[in-house]
């Protein structure tokens, strides 16, 4: 090699390294991995000085592994927040200026064991609880307080969970794919477990524990029987060993026919003694490996999954058989109520109620029935499920979906706290006014001993966990609400923004506004005035014209019922009468089309195209107004995001800005698809003031087909 060559290589190296160094997006940006546990250096000097005074030591009584996680987290957090190393001692020796963990065994037994208090006492910060879990939650609360740079003076936080089982449901498959997952592959690397335990599992557990989540179901509800094999139980045990340190119990979804397919029995009939013995043995085998195993989650006789009805038995027969296997242990059985039969004349809305209400009081006390928030399926907006309140003798758990199956996957920014809150705050009127869904779920209405809130996870192995950076807020919001459903959407958004994105007040204001309006904007361009779209397929592209499916409720036309007269599903007494499943006060809100609030109108009524709504516009005009203003409001979201830019990390800014561009394009896609398709029935022009779609219906259909092929 000549000197000239060497020089050329050297100067090329210099230029390349300059380019790399000059590119802050590629090298210096926030990749989102740390979520809301960033622990960035405290920037306000006076606050920092105060924090330094109270963090000279950590006192941890005993060697419990959850306490160790708490002190490890504190050491790490304080190291980053304050740039100091803090030692852990087993006694304060009367010193002041430290953080003391205080377990209070046998204290007030009426308080739930996981509650905690964090307060200034005797010159120390004292974190007290009746349980190690509570100390861990208190530790995270203190770290949250410090990350938000709040004053130590007058520090007094007391909190306890309103719901006992707060869990994520992963719809992850053994091959690494995730059903309805949009953030990469599964976090669980089954092929390398149990020997290699990915350190990321610890960060997953930290993130959940920081919100108070205490359970995780590792596999898809459309479950593989493989998880019941000895090989997989050993793998699950390795993951459970990590979760345990953070107070998280591990659960599995089960395949109801496993006794037959895996165990080689002739049947999986829940009343068959051999089948019952098989499950008992299986559960015992699991507890040998995982002594704190959480329990089973079951999807049975739903969307082709096997279940007790295959043998002429009921959901209660199936659930109780499994509950029997759990009698010697703490574990529970979570039985899902997501069922609907392939009956061409039925209304899917009514199915879960019809199957489950007659079984009220027939379930073993170890069973919790898990109900999706709405009667159909995680739509952008649904009325609350009429099951809530109508099974007073059976604990009903809430199932929310955090992953954005119907909310634009990982490209649309939709903050979900308002969806969760809307359902929790709905009044069922079962015991008079104020009988909210939240009170059903937290057990205060019917006195359920076991209470549950589950969220279908939106995590994957994307570096930032959730694909869309703002989707982290949905994981966060679910966790915070499962602990305390009284928190407001705005409070949670502000907290998440401060911990994750920025503490710049102006930027935070713009992002809060964007987040709080994002769901309504999405509904407007996607499914306004009570439209829904749970038809088969990828659940992403607009296909309101889809009219072929192996069953009627797997088509789009089944749901919107557009015809030459009007639009919407008549669920009043003149139609399917699904409304009758609600209490009279609820029926009253929705039975008269003139008084039904617009967000629910087409859920319950078939409305004429030319009907004047209370906005002064006809149905057709109102629909167009929503589709157009919804799609245009994405530009408003873009503006808000741009205004926040000075307070944001550049990598995060750019990533969200790009995704918003995609959202804008796809919002127009949705708008045009609906407007052009519905126009074939309404036979009216797009109202003045709105520019008619540039494409034809055929062109939109083609673009959707191309999408579906891909
Ligand atoms: C639907 C999903 C499907 C799930 C099902 C369920 O499209 O993938 O398996 O719910 O919850 O929303 O079981």
């Amino acid at each position: 090699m000549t000197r000239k060559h060497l020089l050329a290589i050297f100067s090329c190296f210099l230029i390349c390294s300059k380019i790399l160094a000059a590119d802050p997006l590629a090298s210096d940006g926030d990749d989102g991995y740390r979520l809301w546990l960033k622990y960035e250096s405290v920037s306000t000097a006076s606050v920092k000085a105060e924090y330094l005074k109270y963090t000279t030591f950590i006192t941890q009584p005993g060697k419990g592994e959850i306490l160790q996680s708490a002190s490890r987290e504190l050491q790490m957090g304080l190291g980053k927040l304050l740039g100091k190393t803090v030692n852990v001692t087993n006694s304060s020796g009367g010193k002041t200026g430290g953080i003391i963990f205080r377990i209070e065994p046998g204290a007030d037994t009426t308080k739930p064991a996981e509650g905690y208090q964090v307060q200034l006492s005797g010159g120390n910060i004292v974190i007290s609880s009746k349980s190690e879990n509570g100390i861990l939650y208190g530790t995270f609360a203190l770290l949250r307080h410090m990350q938000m740079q709040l004053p130590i003076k007058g520090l007094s936080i007391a909190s306890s969970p309103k719901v006992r089982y707060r869990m994520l449901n992963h719809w992850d498959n053994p091959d690494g794919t995730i059903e309805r997952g949009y953030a990469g592959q599964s976090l669980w690397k089954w092929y390398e477990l149990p020997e290699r335990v990915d350190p990321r599992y610890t960060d997953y557990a930290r993130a959940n524990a920081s919100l108070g989540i205490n359970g995780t179901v590792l596999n898809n509800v459309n479950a593989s029987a493989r998880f019941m094999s000895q090989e997989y139980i050993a793998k699950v045990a390795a993951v459970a060993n990590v979760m345990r340190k953070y107070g998280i119990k591990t659960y599995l979804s089960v395949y109801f026919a496993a006794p037959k397919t895996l165990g080689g029995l002739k049947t999986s009939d829940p009343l068959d003694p051999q089948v019952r013995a098989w499950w008992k043995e299986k559960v015992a085998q699991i507890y040998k490996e995982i002594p704190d195993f959480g329990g089973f989650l079951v999807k049975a006789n739903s969307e082709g999954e096997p279940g007790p009805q295959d043998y002429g038995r009921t959901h209660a027969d199936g659930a109780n058989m499994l509950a029997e296997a759990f009698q010697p242990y703490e574990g529970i059985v979570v039985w899902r109520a997501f069922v609907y039969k392939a009956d061409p004349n039925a209304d899917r809305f009514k199915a879960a109620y019809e199957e489950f209400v007659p079984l009220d009081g027939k379930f073993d006390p170890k069973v919790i029935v898990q109900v999706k928030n709405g009667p159909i399926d995680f739509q952008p907006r649904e009325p609350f499920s009429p099951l809530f309140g109508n099974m007073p003798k059976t604990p009903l758990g809430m199932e929310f979906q955090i992953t954005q199956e119907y909310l634009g996957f990982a490209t649309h920014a939709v903050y979900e706290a308002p969806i969760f809150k809307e359902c929790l705050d709905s009044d069922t009127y079962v015991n008079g006014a104020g009988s909210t869904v939240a009170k059903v779920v937290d057990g205060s209405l019917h006195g359920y001993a076991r209470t549950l809130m589950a969220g279908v996870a939106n995590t994957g192995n994307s570096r930032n966990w959730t694909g869309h950076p703002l989707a982290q807020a949905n994981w966060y919001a679910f966790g915070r609400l499962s602990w305390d459903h009284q928190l407001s959407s705005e409070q949670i958004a502000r907290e998440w923004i401060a911990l994750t994105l920025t503490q710049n007040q102006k930027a935070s204001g713009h992002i809060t506004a964007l987040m709080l309006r994002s769901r309504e904007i999405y509904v407007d361009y996607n499914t306004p005035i009570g439209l829904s779209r749970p038809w088969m397929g990828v659940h992403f592209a607009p296909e309101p014209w889809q009219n072929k499916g192996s069953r009627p409720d797997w088509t789009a036309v089944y749901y919107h019922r557009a015809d030459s007269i009007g639009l919407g599903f008549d669920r009043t007494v003149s139609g399917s009468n699904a409304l009758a499943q609600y209490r009279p006060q609820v029926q009253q809100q929705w039975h008269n089309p003139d008084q039904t609030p617009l967000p629910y109108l087409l859920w319950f009524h078939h409305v004429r195209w030319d009907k004047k709504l209370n906005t002064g516009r006809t149905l057709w005009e109102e629909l167009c107004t929503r589709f157009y203003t919804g799609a245009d409001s994405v530009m408003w979201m873009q503006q808000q995001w741009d205004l926040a830019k000075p307070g944001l990390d550049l990598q995060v800014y750019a990533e969200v800005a790009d995704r918003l561009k995609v959202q804008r394009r796809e919002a127009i896609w949705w708008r045009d698809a609906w407007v052009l398709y519905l126009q074939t029935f309404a036979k009216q022009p797009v109202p003045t003031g709105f520019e008619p779609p540039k494409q034809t219906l055929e062109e939109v259909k083609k673009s959707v087909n191309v999408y579906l092929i891909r």
Side-chain angles (χ1 to χ4, degrees):
M1 200 178 285
T2 64
R3 199 182 132 82
K4 210 165 125 197
H5 278 124
L6 276 174
L7 263 178
I9 292 172
F10 183 56
S11 48
C12 177
F13 169 72
L14 273 184
I15 291 168
C16 289
S17 46
K18 256 215 169 118
I19 290 172
L20 284 179
D23 179 0
L25 302 186
S27 54
D28 304 331
D30 179 356
D31 64 9
Y33 184 84
R34 295 168 299 161
L35 296 161
W36 44 87
L37 302 174
K38 291 163 80 177
Y39 305 134
E40 281 182 344
S41 176
V42 174
S43 55
T44 315
S46 56
V47 174
K48 185 169 177 178
E50 230 192 316
Y51 289 179
L52 285 168
K53 272 202 283 186
Y54 288 100
T55 51
T56 53
F57 60 87
I58 298 165
T59 297
Q60 176 201 312
K63 291 206 161 28
E65 40 177 19
I66 298 178
L67 290 184
Q68 286 188 40
S69 299
S71 46
R72 226 185 1 258
E73 190 73 27
L74 257 184
Q75 283 183 303
M76 191 216 326
L78 296 174
K80 293 185 183 170
L81 285 160
L82 305 173
K84 73 191 280 197
T85 308
V86 186
N87 289 329
V88 180
T89 62
N90 51 22
S91 153
S92 67
K95 280 190 295 179
T96 58
I99 300 173
I100 296 179
F101 295 166
R102 185 172 293 154
I103 300 248
E104 299 170 340
D108 181 1
T109 49
T110 57
K111 270 200 227 145
E114 291 176 305
Y116 62 81
Q117 286 190 306
V118 185
Q119 53 197 171
L120 267 192
S121 165
N124 291 302
I125 296 175
V126 178
I127 304 177
S128 53
S129 172
K130 284 176 68 184
S131 68
E132 288 196 24
N133 287 32
I135 298 285
L136 180 64
Y137 300 141
T139 299
F140 278 114
L142 174 63
L143 284 166
R144 190 155 57 223
H145 189 88
M146 290 183 158
Q147 286 200 84
M148 292 168 75
Q149 310 199 40
L150 299 170
I152 284 286
K153 227 182 248 149
L155 173 73
S156 177
I157 314 170
S159 189
S160 50
K162 296 195 166 54
V163 165
R164 175 160 163 197
Y165 299 97
R166 307 173 297 277
M167 59 170 82
L168 288 188
N169 290 181
H170 288 273
W171 285 0
D172 296 20
N173 299 314
D175 65 1
T177 56
I178 305 178
E179 180 148 343
R180 316 302 180 185
Y182 316 106
Q185 294 285 104
S186 173
L187 288 168
W188 322 122
K189 298 178 178 165
W190 297 113
Y191 51 90
E192 61 181 36
L193 282 160
E195 291 85 359
R196 180 172 181 276
V197 179
D198 191 332
R200 189 163 187 173
Y201 304 161
T202 298
D203 290 330
Y204 165 88
R206 289 174 51 237
N208 281 321
S210 74
L211 306 173
I213 289 172
N214 64 1
T216 180
V217 184
L218 298 182
N219 63 316
N220 193 353
V221 287
N222 298 316
S224 161
R226 207 186 294 182
F227 283 94
M228 293 293 106
S229 68
Q230 182 56 47
E231 185 195 352
Y232 268 73
I233 292 171
K235 292 170 188 284
V236 172
V239 178
N241 290 343
V242 177
M243 299 305 148
R244 184 174 305 117
K245 294 185 186 141
Y246 289 87
I248 298 170
K249 289 196 172 162
T250 302
Y251 298 69
L252 287 175
S253 295
V254 294
Y255 183 63
F256 196 80
K260 206 168 155 187
T261 59
L262 187 76
L265 301 187
K266 283 205 192 72
T267 175
S268 296
D269 180 350
L271 298 193
D272 182 286
Q274 274 188 313
V275 172
R276 299 178 89 90
W278 189 87
W279 281 113
K280 273 192 190 161
E281 208 175 298
K282 189 50 72 186
V283 170
Q285 192 186 343
I286 295 174
Y287 274 94
K288 232 185 249 153
E289 306 263 348
I290 312 170
D292 62 340
F293 183 63
F296 288 160
L297 172 64
V298 194
K299 171 175 179 177
N301 293 120
S302 164
E303 298 186 329
E305 292 298 314
Q309 292 174 347
D310 303 349
Y311 306 96
R313 316 298 183 197
T314 67
H315 287 289
D317 293 330
N320 295 348
M321 168 200 56
L322 294 176
E324 183 185 70
F326 279 97
Q327 290 310 325
Y329 314 101
E330 271 220 352
I332 54 168
V333 174
V334 183
W335 192 271
R336 297 176 84 228
F338 177 67
V339 294
Y340 57 105
K341 298 237 163 62
D343 177 351
N345 300 315
D347 177 0
R348 175 173 167 182
F349 190 114
K350 292 161 69 177
Y353 180 105
E354 284 170 349
E355 278 194 44
F356 278 85
V357 168
L359 298 175
D360 190 25
K362 302 222 163 83
F363 288 94
D364 184 282
K366 265 185 173 297
V367 178
I368 301 178
V369 172
Q370 182 169 298
V371 182
K372 287 188 182 181
N373 58 295
I376 301 275
D377 190 9
F378 299 139
Q379 294 303 288
R381 170 169 274 121
E382 282 194 50
F384 67 92
S385 164
L387 273 178
F388 291 113
N390 281 314
M391 293 187 66
K393 295 186 221 129
T394 312
L396 297 186
M398 171 64 77
E399 179 174 316
F400 285 128
Q401 193 182 46
I402 312 172
T403 190
Q404 292 177 234
E405 176 178 355
Y406 294 97
L407 296 171
F409 294 7
T411 30
H412 294 225
V414 182
Y415 175 51
E416 293 170 341
I419 306 182
F420 305 156
K421 290 286 291 183
E422 187 171 279
C423 176
L424 290 165
D425 293 344
S426 297
D427 201 337
T428 68
Y429 287 94
V430 288
N431 285 355
S435 307
T436 59
V437 171
K439 286 188 186 162
V440 175
V441 172
D442 73 14
S444 57
L445 199 67
H446 302 307
Y448 299 153
R450 294 189 160 88
T451 55
L452 163 105
M453 208 186 282
V456 181
N458 63 348
T459 50
N461 70 353
S462 292
R463 181 69 190 157
N464 72 3
W465 303 85
T466 56
H468 198 307
L470 298 185
Q472 290 183 358
N474 293 333
W475 179 7
Y476 188 88
F478 166 76
R480 296 287 282 136
L481 285 172
S482 72
W483 179 276
D484 181 0
H485 54 68
Q486 280 172 349
L487 294 170
S488 75
S489 300
E490 176 167 353
Q491 212 174 335
I492 297 171
R494 287 198 177 273
E495 196 177 276
W496 176 78
I497 292 165
L499 300 174
T500 313
L501 294 180
T502 180
Q503 294 191 4
N504 172 310
Q505 285 304 309
K506 261 183 90 180
S508 165
H510 291 299
I511 304 167
T512 307
L514 180 163
M515 286 170 67
L516 290 177
R517 275 194 61 198
S518 59
R519 187 279 190 115
E520 288 304 332
I521 291 172
Y522 184 85
V523 167
D524 276 348
Y525 63 74
N526 194 277
T527 41
I529 328 184
L531 283 171
S532 61
R533 44 170 279 239
W535 51 79
M536 280 312 280
V538 286
H539 295 173
F540 183 73
E543 299 170 273
W545 46 81
Q546 188 238 346
N547 59 5
K548 287 190 193 75
S550 52
R551 41 192 285 181
D553 51 6
W554 285 355
T555 65
V557 296
Y558 173 90
Y559 294 96
H560 60 65
R561 312 224 152 180
D563 57 24
S564 58
I565 297 166
L567 180 69
F569 200 131
D570 182 0
R571 292 191 164 100
T572 65
V573 71
S574 54
S576 78
N577 205 15
L579 251 188
Q581 294 183 338
Y582 293 99
R583 287 293 189 275
Q585 295 93 324
V586 181
Q587 292 181 30
Q588 214 154 28
Q589 294 164 18
W590 295 331
H591 87 283
N592 178 347
D594 292 327
Q595 280 155 18
T596 305
L598 287 191
Y600 297 100
L601 185 62
L602 302 177
W603 269 105
F604 295 104
H605 303 281
H606 191 70
V607 180
R608 295 179 65 90
W609 295 111
D610 57 4
K611 182 177 169 61
K612 265 254 158 68
L613 306 180
N614 54 21
T615 55
R617 290 184 277 263
T618 65
L619 174 67
W620 169 249
E621 289 163 353
E622 187 64 35
L623 282 164
C624 289
T625 306
R626 300 289 173 133
F627 286 126
Y628 276 87
T629 49
D632 286 347
S633 299
V634 179
M635 289 193 290
W636 173 84
M637 292 168 77
Q638 290 175 299
Q639 257 170 24
Q640 297 305 305
W641 189 248
D642 282 346
L643 288 167
K645 186 176 178 183
L648 288 170
D649 171 90
L650 283 186
Q651 183 168 333
V652 176
Y653 165 77
E655 171 129 25
V656 174
D658 287 350
R659 283 176 201 257
L660 283 168
K661 284 183 207 153
V662 182
Q663 182 170 351
R664 164 82 177 134
R665 168 165 52 79
E666 289 177 348
I668 294 171
W669 194 36
W670 271 94
R671 176 196 76 190
D672 288 358
W674 273 118
V675 168
L676 291 166
Y677 171 72
L678 294 179
Q679 202 170 28
T680 62
F681 299 94
K683 303 215 179 310
Q684 293 180 48
V686 170
T688 39
F690 300 120
E691 198 189 324
K694 291 203 177 68
Q695 42 195 345
T696 64
L697 180 57
E698 285 321 304
E699 282 164 345
V700 183
K701 281 188 180 174
K702 232 162 133 190
S703 72
V704 171
N705 288 342
V706 168
Y707 176 84
L708 294 178
I709 289 164
R710 194 184 55 174

